[in-house]
Amino acid sequence: MNKAILVFDIDGVIRDVGGSYRRAIADTVEHFTSPAFRPTLTDLDQLKSEGVWNNDWEASRELVYRHFEKQGKKREDVDLDYQKLIAFFQSRYRGVDENNWNGYICEEPLLVSSGYFERLTEAGFSWGFFSGAMRAEVAYVLEGKLNLLSPVVVAMEDAPGKPDPTGLFTVIEQLEQQHGFDENLPVIYVGDTVGDMYTVENASQKMPSRTWMGVGVLPPHVQDGGEREKVYVGKLLEAGAKVVLHNIEELSVEAIDNLINI
């Protein structure tokens, strides 16, 4: 008997992207500001905490624009080719060989084991993924590194970006159709950003008859045990997280049971 549906974000939850996606953002902003400005991880966290910059290409462009605005320029006067920005970003993240990736993505540490998902299945939980990453990049980690077989995934190409909950709804619908279970099971969405928690809140507003819970996971780069971590936790809780964890595997079968039975 299925007890709940779990949907996971990927970046910062399944894999550590502090040295990959976020490094690619910093490289891109530095390149397109010639190279006057390189954002720090704290700068990126502040931007992400606004809850609308889930797409890292758009986040890069926004930081470039904000840099030039501080210099007194208007956005429309900044000579910035978005397609060239995307190409540069991808050359850092995937690498320069599209058929044999050699970029930062190759260096991402995993934050979870495949055994975790096996335990969820055995305990009666269905699970899938909703990520703002591109489908090929998602497959690289889920199927290539974790050896998950045909997981249910909604990626960048499949739905509007978060905090729009459309992609979350799509994952849930696919899992319901695949398993043929009740359409009103509780849903837990696990993410590492304010935007992820806003996604849950928006889902709850659009479908209030269902139980929705956001679970925050701290990305590794903020886990310093100090003020930075405390502030990050506070922002996730303020955005609607029911609980904030240091690692996805802390969301054990027992912890999930406790959440859905509160």
Side-chain angles (χ1 to χ4, degrees):
M1 180 178 177
N2 207 279
K3 296 187 288 186
I5 295 173
L6 283 87
V7 184
F8 299 94
D9 181 33
I10 292 174
D11 303 331
V13 176
I14 303 298
R15 60 182 172 189
D16 181 0
V17 297
S20 57
Y21 270 128
R22 291 183 177 232
R23 184 179 174 190
I25 294 175
D27 286 356
T28 302
V29 174
E30 184 176 45
H31 179 78
F32 285 93
T33 57
S34 302
F37 172 53
R38 182 178 181 86
T40 64
L41 286 173
T42 300
D43 293 329
L44 300 182
D45 287 338
Q46 289 174 345
L47 183 73
K48 294 281 187 177
S49 73
E50 295 176 14
V52 295
W53 304 108
N54 185 63
N55 183 307
D56 288 338
W57 301 336
E58 293 176 357
S60 300
R61 179 175 61 180
E62 181 65 17
L63 287 170
V64 172
Y65 278 144
R66 291 187 187 187
H67 165 75
F68 283 112
E69 284 178 332
K70 288 179 181 177
Q71 313 310 311
K73 274 193 173 185
K74 294 181 179 179
R75 293 188 176 212
E76 54 267 31
D77 295 331
V78 177
D79 183 17
L80 181 60
D81 186 318
Y82 188 48
Q83 294 307 312
K84 288 183 178 178
L85 181 147
I86 291 172
F88 182 89
F89 182 103
Q90 293 300 94
S91 75
R92 292 298 191 270
Y93 183 65
R94 289 190 182 184
V96 295
D97 185 349
E98 184 59 32
N99 297 315
N100 184 26
W101 293 355
N102 55 6
Y104 300 154
I105 189 172
C106 302
E107 304 166 12
E108 294 171 333
L110 289 176
L111 300 174
V112 66
S113 67
S114 57
Y116 174 72
F117 299 101
E118 294 171 5
R119 293 193 292 276
L120 293 183
T121 300
E122 290 168 359
F125 298 112
S126 290
W127 44 270
F129 302 90
F130 173 36
S131 171
M134 297 185 76
R135 181 167 280 276
E137 296 162 4
V138 170
Y140 182 88
V141 63
L142 296 184
E143 299 176 35
K145 288 190 173 183
L146 280 171
N147 297 315
L148 301 181
L149 298 176
S150 302
V152 172
V153 174
V154 170
M156 179 196 285
E157 300 94 324
D158 307 318
K162 295 177 276 188
D164 188 311
T166 302
L168 182 57
F169 292 149
T170 302
V171 174
I172 294 163
E173 289 167 7
Q174 289 182 21
L175 288 169
E176 287 173 342
Q177 292 170 7
Q178 188 178 94
H179 298 285
F181 49 65
D182 180 71
E183 293 186 358
N184 214 31
L185 289 172
V187 174
I188 297 173
Y189 185 51
V190 187
D192 71 317
T193 67
V194 165
D196 294 324
M197 299 304 106
Y198 285 169
T199 302
V200 180
E201 293 297 302
N202 290 338
S204 179
Q205 291 176 16
K206 288 193 173 184
M207 201 177 290
S209 62
R210 190 163 208 154
T211 298
W212 300 89
M213 286 171 278
V215 170
V217 174
L218 292 174
H221 72 272
V222 304
Q223 296 188 33
D224 59 4
E227 187 63 23
R228 183 184 190 183
E229 179 176 324
K230 184 178 178 181
V231 168
Y232 204 101
V233 170
K235 287 182 177 179
L236 288 174
L237 292 172
E238 185 179 349
K242 301 298 181 188
V243 63
V244 178
L245 309 173
H246 286 83
N247 180 271
I248 183 179
E249 297 207 29
E250 291 179 18
L251 188 63
S252 63
V253 169
E254 294 75 21
I256 298 167
D257 281 333
N258 290 335
L259 270 178
I260 63 179
N261 289 315
I262 290 175

